[in-house]
Amino acid sequence: MSSRSADVVIVGGGIVGAACAYECAAGGLSVMVLEESVVGGGATAAGMGHLVVMDDSEAQFQLTSLSVKMWNERVGAMPAGVEHLPCGTLWVAADEEEMAEVRRKHAFYAERGVAAEILDRRQLEEAEPHLRKGMAGGLLVPGDSVVYPPVAASWLLRECGAKVVSGVGVMTLRDGGVTLSDGEVIAAGAVVNAAGAKAVRLTPGIPVAPRKGHLVITDRYPGFVRHQLIELGYLKSAHSSSGDSVAFNAQPRKTGQVLIGSSRQYGVEHGGVDRPILSRMLSRAAEYMPEITGLTAIRTWTGFRAATPDKLPLIGPVPGTQGVWLATGHEGLGITTSLGTGRLLADQILKRTPPIPVEPYLPGRCMHE
């Protein structure tokens, strides 16, 4: 047994767990965060740090737009190591079919007050000189930005004063607390499972599957990429719920480096670099930016994102429990949606009215008691 306790115990010290801790502490609750490895490791360290308003569904739009607004309110207070870069997102259209998608996205954003600008072929070439010539155009969303997620997670936890316990394994979650791997029981009024792709081990039955992704970062080439670049074909691969896929995704970093993605793999358990997938990913990048093959890569790594069947996270109480909550299933949008997730979770725990409806994200939509 143990004498340790907190109003809220959060399992997982990634960006989502840190954001939940921040919002719960802001609501006056005492918070303890349990992390089996290091704060900001796991999927947080394997994320691109892209803060992006998305439009796959109204629920996705509401959560991403709320979160981006919250990020914009906070980044000024964060340390320089967060490397905030207000570069905007440029969705690249290779052909006229994808330009139709540009126009649809532009209308969607305009209806909801999100600034966006359609670029024609010439404007696209001026905005990103290293893109392949002859593409149809693109959509520029200037309010999107980039951060370095591990430092942001550490800052959130320091700022909120949560007690962080690293290097501990959690065996079980239960009403009233958690049991650690050494048998210690920590009492809590609320327990939050924010363990990402590993959340299913602690809460069996939740529809969360690990999705493996690769990233490559280059040496410093300031100005080579000016915006977060995403091919509109990315949407097709992101919507695939099975099989391996790659898409062009290149990001400028404040350091002058270029971060290159992206890949998605289901059903893969090993965390090593998959050379055939990596080769496909870099070949796809070269189709869009031929000169990218001349850059020097200095590091390649992988991570596992927690994916759900309907592409929305699980934020709320576990059905059939009195004090166990979920904050997982964010897949490739965990960095963006972390702050909004923290707000929605804390509002539910504290019985406050949330800024957006929580129903689309409640675990009960896809679980049964």
Side-chain angles (χ1 to χ4, degrees):
M1 296 297 290
S2 169
S3 60
R4 291 200 285 182
S5 65
D7 294 330
V8 180
V9 168
I10 297 171
V11 181
I15 192 71
V16 170
C20 291
Y22 184 96
E23 291 292 331
C24 286
L29 301 174
S30 62
V31 181
M32 181 183 297
V33 176
L34 307 177
E35 167 53 51
E36 68 175 1
S37 181
V38 296
V39 166
T44 298
M48 293 189 83
H50 186 196
L51 308 180
V52 55
V53 177
M54 291 289 288
D55 66 332
D56 284 1
S57 66
E58 191 63 41
Q60 188 191 70
F61 171 80
Q62 290 205 14
L63 185 57
T64 55
S65 57
L66 168 67
S67 297
V68 167
K69 180 172 179 274
M70 293 176 68
W71 274 104
N72 289 339
E73 291 168 351
R74 285 165 177 71
V75 287
M78 292 185 181
V82 172
E83 297 178 8
H84 179 244
L85 183 64
C87 57
T89 300
L90 217 175
W91 296 90
V92 180
D95 52 35
E96 285 306 314
E97 179 186 0
E98 291 180 358
M99 278 303 290
E101 175 65 10
V102 161
R103 290 186 284 272
R104 185 204 66 78
K105 287 173 76 71
H106 182 262
F108 184 98
Y109 289 140
E111 289 171 3
R112 291 158 181 80
V114 176
E117 177 187 357
I118 296 176
L119 305 186
D120 62 20
R121 181 172 311 209
R122 179 186 58 80
Q123 291 169 317
L124 179 65
E125 291 179 358
E126 289 176 355
E128 288 288 347
H130 294 288
L131 279 172
R132 185 184 82 234
K133 304 302 184 228
M135 281 190 280
L139 183 71
L140 175 61
V141 185
D144 293 345
S145 57
V146 165
V147 293
Y148 182 53
V151 175
S154 296
W155 180 84
L156 286 167
L157 290 174
R158 282 198 314 275
E159 190 72 6
C160 75
K163 179 173 178 53
V164 179
V165 184
S166 298
V168 295
V170 177
M171 290 297 292
T172 58
L173 314 181
R174 57 197 182 90
D175 295 349
V178 302
T179 304
L180 304 186
S181 52
D182 63 2
E184 180 185 357
V185 175
I186 298 178
V191 175
V192 180
N193 183 351
K198 297 179 180 178
V200 68
R201 179 177 64 81
L202 295 171
T203 308
I206 60 175
V208 169
R211 209 170 194 182
K212 184 178 177 180
H214 288 67
L215 288 175
V216 174
I217 196 161
T218 73
D219 207 340
R220 297 171 189 243
Y221 301 94
F224 185 87
V225 174
R226 299 175 179 178
H227 306 82
Q228 172 87 38
L229 299 176
I230 310 177
E231 64 160 296
L232 276 161
Y234 173 92
L235 300 172
K236 301 167 192 169
S237 71
H239 288 166
S240 170
S241 59
S242 62
D244 299 346
S245 63
V246 299
F248 169 60
N249 194 337
Q251 175 188 103
R253 299 308 306 258
K254 207 163 191 178
T255 56
Q257 295 170 283
V258 179
L259 187 59
I260 305 167
S262 63
S263 70
R264 284 176 159 80
Q265 292 173 278
Y266 267 127
V268 178
E269 295 183 3
H270 68 88
V273 172
D274 186 319
R275 294 293 170 184
I277 282 285
L278 182 64
S279 177
R280 281 177 56 193
M281 187 180 88
L282 294 175
S283 294
R284 187 64 174 173
E287 289 178 30
Y288 279 78
M289 300 190 94
E291 295 169 63
I292 209 166
T293 58
L295 308 189
T296 300
I298 60 173
R299 184 176 169 229
T300 301
W301 70 103
T302 70
F304 291 91
R305 288 101 186 203
T308 64
D310 65 2
K311 313 294 190 270
L312 292 174
L314 307 176
I315 309 169
V318 176
T321 72
Q322 296 302 311
V324 182
W325 304 76
L326 288 173
T328 186
H330 299 78
E331 216 261 299
L333 289 170
I335 311 302
T336 289
T337 57
S338 56
L339 298 187
T341 294
R343 173 69 58 81
L344 295 186
L345 185 86
D347 285 344
Q348 291 179 75
I349 291 173
L350 291 163
K351 296 182 168 54
R352 302 182 305 204
T353 302
I356 61 174
V358 299
E359 285 74 18
Y361 324 104
L362 293 177
R365 74 182 189 271
C366 49
M367 294 178 64
H368 303 285
E369 294 186 20

